[in-house]
Amino acid sequence: PPVRAMVDEAEVDEFRRALEALVVWPYAQIGKVAAVMKAQKSGRILIVSSAAPLTGIPNYSMYAIARGAANAMVPTLSKELARWNIPVNAIAANYIKNPDYFPPELLANQDAVAKMLKNIPLGRLGEPEEVAELVALFAGGRCGFVTGHVIPIAGGWA
């Protein structure tokens, strides 16, 4: 889970770790698969990211900034790889049921859940299967003409 810290209290080393995990590592992996996809003149690149940088989350600047950098890869890489028929998109998820972000003890606290749901226009947490359906749509080749987009799946929050 992201580290909670205000910018003036954040540890720079923790920020470097976030950048390494959420930007550098995915960029390196995309470079490896892009070489194979270019040779076959097709493929799909889909980054599963976060909607946090689209709206901002106070006290989670390290996470939101790193995810924002990952999201920024999408329009550039989509243009870079388009001539090889390789669409590049991202799914920016937030408020999806996940025990790392929403542990059972948090979901059992009705006051905490009610407060959280006030932020989500659809009034509920998303299901992991809803993200999987969006991944399948893009990975399955039915959206080959869509490229360069960061698509939020966050119940209207972003």
Side-chain angles (χ1 to χ4, degrees):
V3 174
R4 180 180 170 89
M6 290 190 69
V7 66
D8 60 323
E9 299 166 355
E11 295 290 330
V12 173
D13 285 342
E14 190 65 43
F15 185 46
R16 283 190 183 101
R17 282 191 286 279
L19 290 169
E20 181 66 36
L22 301 174
V23 182
V24 176
W25 188 85
Y27 183 81
Q29 302 313 305
I30 290 168
K32 291 175 185 175
V33 299
V36 174
M37 292 176 180
K38 284 170 60 177
Q40 65 190 24
K41 294 187 170 59
S42 71
R44 302 277 184 275
I45 295 174
L46 184 63
I47 298 169
V48 179
S49 185
S50 171
L54 304 178
T55 189
I57 304 177
N59 302 315
Y60 288 97
S61 60
M62 291 184 285
Y63 176 77
I65 291 166
R67 288 296 197 179
N71 290 353
M73 285 192 268
V74 173
T76 297
L77 295 180
S78 71
K79 289 174 177 61
E80 194 171 297
L81 298 171
R83 65 180 148 173
W84 289 280
N85 190 34
I86 305 169
V88 180
N89 293 290
I91 294 172
N94 268 75
Y95 288 113
I96 304 298
K97 287 181 186 173
N98 173 325
D100 289 335
Y101 290 89
F102 304 106
E105 57 273 12
L106 172 65
L107 296 180
N109 181 332
Q110 291 184 349
D111 291 335
V113 171
K115 183 178 177 182
M116 180 174 40
L117 295 182
K118 287 181 183 179
N119 294 321
I120 309 167
L122 283 179
R124 66 176 178 85
L125 291 176
E127 297 293 335
E129 294 80 10
E130 292 173 295
V131 176
E133 289 172 8
L134 194 52
V135 169
L137 181 69
F138 279 94
R142 295 176 295 218
C143 291
F145 199 60
V146 177
T147 190
H149 294 281
V150 177
I151 301 165
I153 180 168
W157 174 72

